[in-house]
């Protein structure tokens, strides 16, 4: 093993211990009698200090010959040093050069020379080396783990549904067609129909974290053509039960990140505030009224969908996470259940961050006759949904659920300007490489 410790796991108290660190050459500084190599691993920086009188000449010569971003393993002795990163420096006794980096670099991972997002995405492997970007994706890993831990602790079983499908989940949304042997098929825009079918399977409470594909020609800071959806579906549950699980999931994730990613949050200069539950429930009619207080949204009428401008006005007014509930039935998906006593309103909800929508959900229509009628009302053909409708005919419990965008959750939690910053290799209208 070419490593005994990550940078941050070595402490000043280990003064005098022998350790091995491995990583990238972040910086070399040569002051004649004294030279420094700053080594970077995913946990931070190590100052390797080389007083020329105390360190073998071959080591100093090897270090001086290194190009920036080359990969090395360095064995040495820990020396407490308050001014160095993590409070120690390393006096090297051995160095092994593992890979020499070409020059010039496609971008500067130390961040001293800032790069445009496009340049960064073109050389993403190197961009991710910068401590800020490493922090974003370290937090993403913790965020996803927190979601899994929380949902499974709440009795949800993880499932995997097909991404190659024959029909659209809902009419309207553009799908990516693919050639499937001698037929046309599509990349799935959502696991919606399949996770609902699992309610008929008796699995009772399920979740999936997987890709969704949307062939929309967006050029916004919150849309991707390939995104990650955190999907949940709960049997014997109402939309209110689904909202409670959703707000608690968000609070759990924030808490988990705050507790486990303190050093990454510090690198990003974020003082993470855990949102307080329960989130406010704002009825759709009230949301429209709030939006209309802004001249920009004065044209909105009851029955309209909320556009980005309206989301911003309402978000600024509410100022924290909130739900929009009780939507007009005809602007929500066919599988949303209407209130029996006022069928023009349905049990759908959106979870909003002040900046944007994070999740949509609903209590679902589980009565097959009503569900079929909903399809017809929207001029969708029930025959294309036969495989789905069949699962409602032989015992389907009432159920509710939601889909939460993982990238938007990360984007809003870390206040990233662009959702592309929350994906390793974003797919958008113009980008399919790297
Ligand atoms: P929007 O109106 O903001 O485009 P939507 O209502 O079309 O989103 P849904 O179909 O409700 O999206 O999907 C559920 C969640 O999945 C969204 O709230 C969002 O967090 C995420 N999501 C959907 N489409 C995208 C996308 N193109 N890029 C990133 N995340 C997405
Ligand atoms: Mn939505």
């Amino acid at each position: 093993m070419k490593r005994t410790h990550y940078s941050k796991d070595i402490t000043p108290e280990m003064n005098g211990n022998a350790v091995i660190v491995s990583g990238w050459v972040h910086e070399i500084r040569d002051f004649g009698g004294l030279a420094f190599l700053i080594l970077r691993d995913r946990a931070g920086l190590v100052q390797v200090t080389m007083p020329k009188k105390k360190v073998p000449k071959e080591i100093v010569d090897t270090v001086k010959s290194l190009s920036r971003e080359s990969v090395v393993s360095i064995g040495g002795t820990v020396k407490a040093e308050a001014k160095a990163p993590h409070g120690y420096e390393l006096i090297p006794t051995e160095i092994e050069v593992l890979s020499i980096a070409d020059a010039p670099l496609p971008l500067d991972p130390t961040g001293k020379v800032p790069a445009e997002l496009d340049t960064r995405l073109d050389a993403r492997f190197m961009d991710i080396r910068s401590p800020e970007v490493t922090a974003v994706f370290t937090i993403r890993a913790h965020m996803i783990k927190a979601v899994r831990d929380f949902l499974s602790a709440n009795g949800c079983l993880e499932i995997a549904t097909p991404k190659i499908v024959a029909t659209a989940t809902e009419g309207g949304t553009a799908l990516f067609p693919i050639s499937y042997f001698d037929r046309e098929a599509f990349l799935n825009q959502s696991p919606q129909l399949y996770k609902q079918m699992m309610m008929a399977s008796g699995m009772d409470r399920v979740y999936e974290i997987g890709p969704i594909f949307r062939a929309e020609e967006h050029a916004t800071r919150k849309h991707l053509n390939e995104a990650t959806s955190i999907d949940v579906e709960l049997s014997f549950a109402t939309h209110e039960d689904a909202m409670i699980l959703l707000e608690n999931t968000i609070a759990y994730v924030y808490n988990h990140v705050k507790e486990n990613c303190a050093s990454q949050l510090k690198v990003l200069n974020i003082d993470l505030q855990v949102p307080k539950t329960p989130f406010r429930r704002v009825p759709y009619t009230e949301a429209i009224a709030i939006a209309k207080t802004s001249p920009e949204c004065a044209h909105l009428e009851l029955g309209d969908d909320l556009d980005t401008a309206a989301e911003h006005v309402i978000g600024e007014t509410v100022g924290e996470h909130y739900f929009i509930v009780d939507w007009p039935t005809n602007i929500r998906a066919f599988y949303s259940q209407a209130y029996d006593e006022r069928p023009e309103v349905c049990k759908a909800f959106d979870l909003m961050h002040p900046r944007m929508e994070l999740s949509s959900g609903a209590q679902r229509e589980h009565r097959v006759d009503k569900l079929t009628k909903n399809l017809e009302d929207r001029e969708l053909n029930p025959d294309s949904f036969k495989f789905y409708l069949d699962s409602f005919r032989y015992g389907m419990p009432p159920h509710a659920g939601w889909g939460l965008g993982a990238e938007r959750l990360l984007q809003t939690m870390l206040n990233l300007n662009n959702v592309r910053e929350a994906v390793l290799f974003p797919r958008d209208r113009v980008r399919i490489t790297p």
Side-chain angles (χ1 to χ4, degrees):
M1 187 64 192
K2 294 192 191 299
R3 168 188 290 127
T4 58
H5 297 79
Y6 283 113
S7 57
K8 84 163 173 29
D9 298 331
I10 301 172
T11 61
E13 292 71 47
M14 292 165 66
N15 194 40
N17 288 15
V19 296
I20 305 170
V21 290
S22 291
W24 284 258
V25 176
H26 193 66
E27 219 181 306
I28 294 170
R29 287 183 234 144
D30 184 5
F31 301 106
L34 181 65
F36 296 101
L37 182 162
I38 309 296
L39 182 98
R40 190 188 64 245
D41 63 22
R42 76 172 193 199
L45 303 173
V46 183
Q47 176 174 308
V48 182
T49 304
M50 292 160 284
K52 278 174 204 172
K53 287 188 185 138
K54 293 192 187 152
V55 172
K57 184 171 184 307
E58 311 85 76
I59 293 186
V60 179
D61 288 347
T62 304
V63 166
K64 282 189 183 175
S65 74
L66 288 172
S67 50
R68 284 176 57 206
E69 295 303 315
S70 292
V71 175
V72 294
S73 277
I74 300 179
T77 314
V78 177
K79 187 161 166 277
E81 168 53 64
K83 280 179 284 178
H86 310 297
Y88 72 89
E89 58 187 6
L90 197 64
I91 312 299
T93 50
E94 259 183 289
I95 180 163
E96 188 180 355
V97 178
L98 299 169
S99 171
I100 293 282
D102 280 358
L105 301 171
L107 53 78
D108 174 16
T110 67
K112 283 179 190 151
V113 187
E116 295 291 331
L117 184 55
D118 260 330
T119 313
R120 292 175 44 199
L121 295 176
D122 285 341
R124 192 58 154 162
F125 68 90
M126 179 146 307
D127 178 51
I128 294 166
R129 293 182 192 178
S130 85
E132 291 79 8
V133 185
T134 302
V136 168
F137 289 103
T138 306
I139 292 172
R140 182 179 168 122
H142 282 269
M143 175 187 89
I144 296 290
K145 178 185 185 303
V147 169
R148 282 212 164 84
D149 288 351
F150 187 74
L151 293 177
S152 87
N154 278 275
C156 300
L157 298 170
E158 185 164 5
I159 57 167
T161 62
K163 305 306 153 203
I164 301 174
V165 296
T167 45
T169 303
E170 301 166 36
T173 311
L175 294 172
F176 287 112
I178 57 169
S179 81
Y180 191 73
F181 304 108
D182 53 353
R183 280 188 286 170
E184 186 179 58
F186 302 94
L187 294 176
N188 209 359
Q189 69 196 79
S190 156
Q192 181 67 31
L193 305 183
Y194 291 91
K195 66 176 179 172
Q196 283 194 260
M197 289 164 72
M198 294 311 292
M199 299 300 94
S201 76
M203 293 281 278
D204 209 63
R205 292 161 78 89
V206 300
Y207 75 100
E208 174 164 16
I209 303 176
I212 56 170
F213 304 92
R214 308 262 167 129
E216 295 156 346
E217 299 195 13
H218 308 293
T220 76
R221 285 179 292 176
K222 60 176 184 178
H223 287 103
L224 297 158
N225 292 112
E226 177 177 350
T228 310
S229 183
I230 301 164
D231 268 276
V232 163
E233 204 65 30
L234 310 170
S235 288
F236 306 101
T238 64
H239 55 305
E240 186 53 39
D241 296 324
M243 283 191 276
I244 291 170
L245 185 65
L246 178 51
E247 64 194 354
N248 288 335
T249 302
I250 303 290
Y252 183 87
V253 165
Y254 271 69
N255 266 314
H256 180 92
V257 167
K258 203 174 164 85
E259 277 168 25
N260 294 277
C261 305
S263 62
Q264 288 80 11
L265 290 168
K266 194 161 164 235
V267 165
L268 294 169
N269 208 2
I270 290 174
D271 175 20
L272 194 65
Q273 301 299 319
V274 179
K276 290 205 176 44
T277 53
F279 299 162
R280 199 170 139 188
R281 272 77 166 148
V282 179
Y284 163 86
T285 49
E286 189 185 328
I288 289 279
I290 297 172
K292 278 174 80 79
T293 59
S294 159
E296 217 190 335
C297 302
H299 63 276
L300 278 182
E301 284 174 33
L302 283 176
D304 289 347
D305 207 350
L306 297 168
D307 55 14
T308 301
E311 285 180 4
H312 286 165
V313 176
I314 306 163
E316 268 175 36
T317 308
V318 179
E320 55 194 6
H321 288 80
Y322 62 103
F323 286 105
I324 304 178
V325 300
D326 296 347
W327 288 76
T329 306
N330 62 3
I331 60 171
R332 297 299 293 211
F334 72 89
Y335 44 77
S336 312
Q337 186 175 80
Y339 287 95
D340 280 337
E341 65 281 16
R342 40 173 185 153
E344 65 288 355
V345 182
C346 72
K347 301 175 191 173
F349 58 84
D350 275 1
L351 169 65
M352 308 297 298
H353 177 275
R355 282 179 69 190
M356 69 187 79
E357 178 189 317
L358 294 183
S359 172
S360 286
Q363 175 154 352
R364 322 299 189 184
E365 184 50 77
H366 65 284
R367 298 161 293 190
V368 71
D369 49 335
K370 290 199 180 341
L371 188 57
T372 309
K373 176 150 190 318
N374 288 354
L375 283 166
E376 286 161 358
D377 287 349
R378 287 166 179 75
E379 284 168 15
L380 293 165
N381 181 359
D383 294 343
S384 347
F385 290 85
K386 184 178 183 302
F387 72 96
Y388 166 75
L389 293 172
D390 280 351
S391 74
F392 288 73
R393 294 184 201 283
Y394 308 95
M396 172 61 100
H399 57 277
W402 40 263
L404 165 67
E407 289 80 13
R408 288 190 189 178
L409 178 59
L410 189 66
Q411 181 187 7
T412 50
M413 181 163 58
L414 303 184
N415 200 18
L416 305 174
N417 177 47
N418 194 312
V419 70
R420 289 163 181 76
E421 295 175 73
V423 203
L424 291 174
F425 298 103
R427 292 293 175 255
D428 63 27
R429 179 80 181 76
V430 291
R431 180 178 290 281
I432 42 171
T433 47

